[in-house]
Amino acid sequence: VDVTTGRRRVLATEPEADFEDVHASPDGMSVSCVQVEHGTPRTISYGTLCTIEIATGKVRELTREADIPPTEHAWGADGKTLYFTADQAGRAPVFRVDLSDGRITRLSADGHLSDICAPGGDGDLYLLRSRLQSPPEIVRVRADLEDQEARPMRAGEAAISRARVEEGIAPADDGVPIRYWLVLPHGASA
């Protein structure tokens, strides 16, 4: 949708699939999404991580050949990498796909990983990990190491290391005070 004119354009369409979980690339030139093929009584639905060029509508499938259907994904800050989680043998590892060559690397299979927060200035990923041994916790995973153990973090450490946190109270429409926390990247302007 062109926000100035309101003009709408279909980027991609596939009669036997839906495009879900769409994210704009950092440079705004493409989007990432999961293309989910419709299931039938004889087949299951299947998801493939894709990118779509906004100018041309060209769809590039990233995970079909590797047979790793994604559950969620996020762009790397440089726009050259996507990170995703996927079901794999009862766990949900996190993977990196390099868009220049399509190479997929498993970064960690240490429990069920979800809620990806892609790397910022420190180059680490932040995720929520669930395991039988512990309640859900925030963990840190290096974006450049294969099959590593996720490192637990203290509450709020991820936000504090990557941003500044401001706390305040704002009134709702009916005047009820609502507490908020605003997380801003370091160096954000007013």
Side-chain angles (χ1 to χ4, degrees), residues 26 74-83 95-100 118-119 143:
W75 283 93
D78 63 3
K80 298 175 183 176
T81 309
L82 280 166
Y83 300 94
F95 299 86
R96 178 187 70 231
V97 58
D98 184 334
L99 297 178
S100 66

Side-chain angles (χ1 to χ4, degrees), residues 121-189:
D122 60 7
D124 288 348
L125 294 172
Y126 299 93
L127 303 110
L128 188 63
R129 176 179 65 189
S130 299
R131 312 188 290 182
L132 290 174
Q133 303 92 320
S134 65
E137 60 186 338
I138 298 171
V139 294
R140 174 183 267 175
V141 172
R142 288 196 40 187
D144 60 348
L145 291 179
E146 189 172 344
D147 281 329
Q148 64 196 281
E149 185 175 328
R151 296 170 287 161
M153 300 185 64
R154 297 185 319 271
E157 182 182 347
I160 292 168
S161 69
R162 297 183 59 204
R164 74 176 195 270
V165 180
E166 295 179 5
E167 180 179 349
I169 297 176
D173 288 343
D174 61 2
V176 173
I178 299 174
R179 179 166 307 284
Y180 70 85
W181 290 267
L182 179 61
V183 181
L184 298 167
H186 290 295
S189 67

